[in-house]
Amino acid sequence: MLGEILFQQEINKELIKEILFDFHKNGPVNNSHLETLSYLKKYNEEEFKKYEGKLMFLMGLFYKTDNPDTFLEVIYDIYAKSIIEETGHNFTPVQADAYNSIKKYTNFSFSAPTSAGKSFLFQELIKEAKGDIIIVLPSRALLSEYLIKVKNLVSNETLVLQFIEIVNTKRTKKRIYIITPERGEEIFRNIDKLNLELILLDEAQISEEGIRGMKFDSLVRRIDKKLKILKKFSRILSF
């Protein structure tokens, strides 16, 4: 049945209206609807463009929207502008909720699919921070990727290192340390010399995995115990 609908020359208007209404009522949480929309766009690209603007509004992808064309889109556009006014960022509702929680609470864990925009939220937190940042990664395999990405985010006045040392202090305004749990001890040896503002714990769900998880979990517990005044943001991915 789905195949017959998707290969029609014209989009089934009732079907797409049903999906859009469900997104408006419940949010884009139905994977079946998302799959259907993907196929509708693939096989009916030109006609699908008629609905794409409204779809972006209903999915909360405000950074992909243009001027609203309908009353419903105007309502969502007002919502989008209120997010920018409140957070200073062009966030989706999910990102805005996480961002506000991070600002409100000392500890915060964020579990969401890859499409939720966690990486963009990470980037904005890094760019906003005025003090030193520590990013804890689960393995050395991710170090090179993170070093490149973070260096591209910040100015030359920010020192980005994969070990915790207090160097080049006269020429840098802040420092970002990207480490694995094995280097966690360096945090506590240098704590009095750091101007720590934020600790980001990436892939924190690995604390449930064997030896590697035990090391990560031990570091998280020590950070929580000794650095309670710092904000810590733990990104937990779910697949």
Side-chain angles (χ1 to χ4, degrees), residues 144-166:
S144 296
E145 178 186 347
Y146 262 75
L147 283 167
I148 293 170
K149 286 183 177 180
V150 172
K151 284 179 179 179
N152 289 336
L153 278 178
V154 298
S155 69
N156 292 332
E157 295 178 327
T158 300
L159 189 63
V160 182
L161 296 171
Q162 57 182 312
F163 50 87
I164 299 179
E165 278 193 3
I166 314 303

Side-chain angles (χ1 to χ4, degrees), residues 19-220:
I19 293 174
L20 293 175
F21 178 76
D22 187 65
F23 280 3
H24 172 60
K25 182 179 179 181
N26 301 309
V29 296
N30 189 318
N31 288 331
S32 177
H33 285 341
L34 294 170
E35 183 181 6
T36 299
L37 289 170
S38 297
Y39 280 110
L40 286 172
K41 182 175 181 178
K42 181 176 181 179
Y43 294 108
N44 304 272
E45 187 171 355
E46 287 303 314
E47 192 174 358
F48 188 83
K49 290 179 180 178
K50 299 176 185 177
Y51 305 93
E52 205 159 13
K54 181 179 288 186
L55 180 61
M56 293 301 102
F57 276 109
L58 293 177
M59 292 182 69
L61 302 176
F62 302 130
Y63 60 93
K64 293 185 177 182
T65 58
D66 297 317
N67 293 328
D69 294 324
T70 66
F71 177 72
L72 184 62
E73 290 176 21
V74 169
I75 300 299
Y76 276 86
D77 187 55
I78 294 171
Y79 182 26
K81 289 175 180 175
S82 70
I83 289 176
I84 295 175
E85 184 178 345
E86 183 179 1
T87 67
H89 300 275
N90 193 14
F91 283 147
T92 67
V94 173
Q95 291 169 334
D97 183 58
Y99 178 84
N100 288 332
S101 296
I102 291 165
K103 295 297 181 180
K104 182 177 180 180
Y105 301 108
T106 301
N107 294 352
F108 182 71
S109 292
F110 185 24
S111 177
T114 303
S115 58
K118 296 180 294 293
S119 295
F120 179 71
L121 183 58
F122 248 43
Q123 293 171 17
E124 295 306 293
L125 290 169
I126 290 169
K127 289 190 289 186
E128 267 190 6
K130 304 299 182 184
D132 297 338
I133 301 172
I134 293 176
I135 302 174
V136 183
L137 304 179
S139 70
R140 284 191 285 268
L142 296 172
L143 277 174
S144 296
E145 178 186 347
Y146 262 75
L147 283 167
I148 293 170
K149 286 183 177 180
V150 172
K151 284 179 179 179
N152 289 336
L153 278 178
V154 298
S155 69
N156 292 332
E157 295 178 327
T158 300
L159 189 63
V160 182
L161 296 171
Q162 57 182 312
F163 50 87
I164 299 179
E165 278 193 3
I166 314 303
V167 295
N168 205 17
T169 56
K170 292 183 179 180
R171 297 185 180 181
T172 55
K173 289 187 175 180
K174 71 177 182 181
R175 293 155 290 190
I176 300 177
Y177 301 104
I178 304 174
I179 64 171
T180 58
E182 289 76 14
R183 291 189 177 272
E185 185 62 36
E186 296 174 4
I187 298 174
F188 309 104
R189 283 203 297 263
N190 293 283
I191 189 64
D192 294 333
K193 302 173 186 176
L194 296 172
N195 179 30
L196 268 180
E197 178 180 340
L198 189 66
I199 297 178
L200 305 178
L201 308 168
D202 199 12
E203 307 276 10
Q205 81 278 1
I206 72 154
S207 60
E208 299 178 0
E209 298 179 9
I211 298 298
R212 190 170 66 131
M214 288 175 63
K215 290 180 180 179
F216 196 95
D217 184 70
S218 174
L219 176 60
V220 172

